[in-house]
Amino acid sequence: MSKPHPVSAATAASAAEQGAWHEVHAAQSGAEPGAAGRSGSWSTQGATVWTAEARDALATDFNTTLQRGVHGLCFSPYLEGQQPGSQIGEAQIRERLKILQPHAGWVRTFSCTDGHEQTPRVAHELGLKTLVGAWLGTDAEINERELQGVIEVARAGHADIVAVGNEVLLREDMSEDELLACIQRVKDALPGVAVGYVDAYYLFEKHPRITAACDVVMTNCYPFWEGCPREQALAYMQTMVARTRAAAPGKRVLISETGWPDQGSPFHGSVPSREGAMQYFVDCSRWAEENGIEIFYFAAFDEAWKVGAEGDVGAYWGLWDKDGVLKFG
């Protein structure tokens, strides 16, 4: 969810034929086809009534969780006016990483071009481990730069895990064979480094060759984009993880993205809210810690540019706002 997710005409047509999505946004954000249409299957449990006392208790839980620290955070360093394609400097990356440094053990990056290739080194200098991504899309020249970049970063010792592509199959940017070749190329270049791929959970069921090629299976799980009410989101996210594990027996599986927006338009039964975003963060973090699950929460910072890619909610998934100010607690 950290770069534009253009939806192909074929994807949109398929969605329309199946009645799967009422909005194309579901197709670009990791939702399983038809999931949003299941909104009537959710229980009729009412939303939490947030009294002043309940809000105070939630704020305490949030602060305690953040101060204790989470496994990992998804990181993009963009400031106001920047977006994918903007050149990013080391000083900006370092300043942003220092904000989240006390609160996470790992950071996940999404690109190894346009200055982002500096992030893993800076993160290591700050004591953070790195899940380093190569962004793959429809531009073969950019893909080549990304692959070369992630290999160089890892050979320099700054990648603890490498992710070759993010939601490439979801966006239909590459064929399975093309993606498989990219994964194998990086694996061959980086013996001893854990290499895998990131996509929506159900696509690991549909593409067993991709799943088999991964040292690490990295699953994006978004109950929000499947119309799930916030009160049932943790349980639904757990089923997404269970499906990924079932598709990847014996593999290391981690949650590469999950989150909840605090502002923006509802998506079927999913309603953005300040309290919902805080509670989902607390619930996910607590469950992951108690069960030894590697989780990268989406996201560290709000990103204003994403409004164009995902609608008004796209700008409001961060724990910190676009200016680096903590939003909650």
Side-chain angles (χ1 to χ4, degrees), residues 7-136:
V7 179
S8 70
T11 300
S14 175
E17 290 169 4
Q18 298 175 32
W21 300 293
H22 298 285
E23 298 181 45
V24 178
H25 289 305
Q28 64 188 29
S29 302
E32 183 180 17
R38 294 200 297 262
S39 56
S41 68
W42 305 115
S43 75
T44 56
Q45 173 184 345
T48 302
V49 177
W50 291 101
T51 63
E53 292 79 7
R55 287 193 175 93
D56 287 344
L58 177 58
T60 298
D61 283 347
F62 177 87
N63 286 328
T64 299
T65 301
L66 189 64
Q67 292 305 314
R68 187 168 60 242
V70 297
H71 177 80
L73 292 170
C74 295
F75 174 77
S76 290
Y78 298 119
L79 302 178
E80 184 75 23
Q82 294 179 332
Q83 59 185 344
S86 300
Q87 296 298 310
I88 307 299
E90 178 179 336
Q92 177 178 326
I93 292 168
R94 188 177 298 273
E95 181 180 358
R96 287 295 211 182
L97 282 174
K98 282 183 175 179
I99 293 172
L100 61 86
Q101 177 191 16
H103 307 292
W106 289 69
V107 290
R108 179 188 168 203
T109 69
F110 292 81
S111 172
C112 280
T113 60
D114 298 331
H116 297 284
E117 67 276 8
Q118 303 171 93
T119 301
R121 172 180 54 80
V122 176
H124 271 185
E125 290 171 0
L126 295 174
L128 296 163
K129 291 188 175 182
T130 58
L131 194 175
V132 181
W135 187 270
L136 302 180

Side-chain angles (χ1 to χ4, degrees), residues 97-247:
L97 282 174
K98 282 183 175 179
I99 293 172
L100 61 86
Q101 177 191 16
H103 307 292
W106 289 69
V107 290
R108 179 188 168 203
T109 69
F110 292 81
S111 172
C112 280
T113 60
D114 298 331
H116 297 284
E117 67 276 8
Q118 303 171 93
T119 301
R121 172 180 54 80
V122 176
H124 271 185
E125 290 171 0
L126 295 174
L128 296 163
K129 291 188 175 182
T130 58
L131 194 175
V132 181
W135 187 270
L136 302 180
T138 57
D139 188 313
E141 182 179 344
I142 294 175
N143 290 349
E144 180 61 28
R145 289 172 51 217
E146 288 281 351
L147 292 170
Q148 290 180 5
V150 78
I151 289 170
E152 289 173 6
V153 166
R155 284 179 172 168
H158 299 308
D160 297 291
I161 302 173
V162 168
V164 183
N166 179 75
E167 297 184 345
V168 176
L169 296 172
L170 178 72
R171 298 190 306 273
E172 301 178 358
D173 283 353
M174 284 183 162
S175 69
E176 182 181 278
D177 285 343
E178 290 171 327
L179 177 58
L180 196 61
C182 292
I183 295 171
Q184 193 60 53
R185 172 182 168 184
V186 174
K187 289 179 69 175
D188 290 345
L190 301 174
V193 177
V195 175
Y197 169 66
V198 176
D199 216 324
Y201 65 101
Y202 64 92
L203 285 166
F204 292 103
E205 298 170 332
K206 294 186 174 184
H207 297 274
R209 290 198 301 153
I210 297 295
T211 307
C214 293
D215 300 322
V216 186
V217 174
M218 295 171 266
T219 180
N220 288 353
C221 302
Y222 283 103
F224 180 89
W225 287 119
E226 297 196 11
C228 178
R230 214 296 309 159
E231 293 76 22
Q232 297 160 60
L234 177 65
Y236 190 40
M237 190 267 281
Q238 291 168 345
T239 69
M240 296 173 173
V241 176
R243 284 176 60 177
T244 308
R245 285 177 164 166

Side-chain angles (χ1 to χ4, degrees), residues 272-285:
S273 71
R274 175 183 175 87
E275 293 80 14
M278 293 170 69
Q279 189 68 66
Y280 189 71
F281 172 74
V282 170
D283 289 348
C284 289
S285 301

